[in-house]
Amino acid sequence: MEGRTLPPNRIRASDAERDQAVDRLTVAFVEGRLDHEEYDRRVGLALTAVLVGDLRPLTEDLPDPGPGAPRADPRRDPRFREAPSGGDLSVLSLPRREWGDEWRWWTGVAVTLTGIWGTVSLMGGELVPYWPLVPLGIWAAVLLASVIWPGGEEPP
């Protein structure tokens, strides 16, 4: 077989080739070239492709990404920024705006759960233990921990 090349429809695809196809599809989805349904269908086919020839039709109608094309790397998502932590700038964290959004959600849920607790207490004629403390406390602890350890590394 030396010196002889097989056609793409007979060459087995590698994991790297499947990943490359998925990356291209993800870039096309982010750019708005594919809708969600088409993206899901093509990614499913790319991940189960056996031959290189099975991968080519999935991306052949998409333009080749240029050198400045966006990457499918989630760490390059503009919603995230690098957080300084002891000289290690590779750690990612939520920007202040999104962290504030998380606390607004927490506050909304706190008001709702407290309203339910208050209604149950009034209807029962006596104060029941403040049960919203458990889910709200856990959620608040997670939000605070994300500030203290922004990249998800283990606490010291």
Side-chain angles (χ1 to χ4, degrees):
M1 293 257 333
E2 288 183 38
R4 189 172 152 215
T5 352
L6 293 174
N9 62 348
R10 297 207 37 219
I11 298 174
R12 296 189 66 85
S14 68
D15 288 340
E17 289 166 325
R18 281 186 282 276
D19 290 344
Q20 185 178 15
V22 169
D23 285 347
R24 255 184 95 197
L25 292 169
T26 302
V27 168
F29 176 67
V30 168
E31 292 176 341
R33 297 180 192 278
L34 298 173
D35 63 17
H36 194 268
E37 202 172 292
E38 180 68 11
Y39 170 74
D40 284 343
R41 185 184 73 76
R42 289 188 189 199
V43 166
L45 290 171
L47 292 174
T48 58
V50 176
L51 303 172
V52 173
D54 298 336
L55 293 172
R56 290 203 176 147
L58 300 174
T59 59
E60 69 187 358
D61 63 337
L62 303 172
D64 287 332
R71 296 187 44 110
D73 188 350
R75 292 171 294 174
R76 299 203 185 271
D77 190 324
R79 295 178 300 158
F80 292 93
R81 64 173 171 76
E82 292 195 12
S85 68
D88 181 15
L89 296 178
S90 65
V91 179
L92 301 174
S93 69
L94 284 174
R96 288 187 194 275
R97 179 172 168 258
E98 288 195 22
W99 193 69
D101 289 344
E102 289 289 330
W103 278 107
R104 277 188 283 285
W105 275 101
W106 183 90
T107 303
V109 170
V111 168
T112 303
L113 293 180
T114 301
I116 293 170
W117 169 81
T119 303
V120 168
S121 293
L122 285 174
M123 291 177 68
E126 65 180 355
L127 288 178
V128 295
Y130 186 68
W131 56 265
L133 183 63
V134 174
L136 294 174
I138 292 170
W139 191 357
V142 169
L143 289 175
L144 291 173
S146 71
V147 171
I148 296 169
W149 301 286
E153 71 266 10
E154 291 293 318

